[in-house]
């Protein structure tokens, strides 16, 4: 499991980005990859990386708050 902070998540569009704690790299997250009900900017989350259609994506995203 990786950890990071939500950079932003647009609920109406169903996607956003998480900044990885270890690498500082941003990773795409889609609403289908969420275990959490809502993501807000700055939320601490855990996730796994999976291969998506256009690169790495966050999956099994869960809030750590």
């Amino acid at each position: 499991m990786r950890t990071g902070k939500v950079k932003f998540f647009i609920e109406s569009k169903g996607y956003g980005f998480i900044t990885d704690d270890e690498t500082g790299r941003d990773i795409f997250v889609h609403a289908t990859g969420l275990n959490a009900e809502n993501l807000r900017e700055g939320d601490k989350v855990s996730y796994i990386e999976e291969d998506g259609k256009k690169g790495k994506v966050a999956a099994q995203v869960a809030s750590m708050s």
Side-chain angles (χ1 to χ4, degrees):
M1 283 294 228
R2 303 190 68 85
T3 60
K5 285 189 181 177
V6 177
K7 185 172 186 174
F8 69 87
F9 189 80
I10 304 169
E11 281 191 53
S12 62
K13 297 195 182 221
Y15 71 87
F17 284 88
I18 295 169
T19 302
D20 186 87
D21 284 339
E22 188 176 319
T23 66
R25 185 174 55 92
D26 291 340
I27 185 166
F28 181 80
V29 59
H30 189 268
T32 58
L34 301 181
N35 288 345
E37 290 183 21
N38 294 320
L39 290 183
R40 293 190 177 95
E41 183 178 332
D43 282 357
K44 183 87 168 157
V45 294
S46 64
Y47 67 95
I48 62 168
E49 278 190 17
E50 292 184 346
D51 291 323
K53 293 179 183 178
K54 297 182 180 180
K56 297 289 185 184
V57 297
Q60 299 179 21
V61 179
S63 178
M64 295 177 66
S65 306

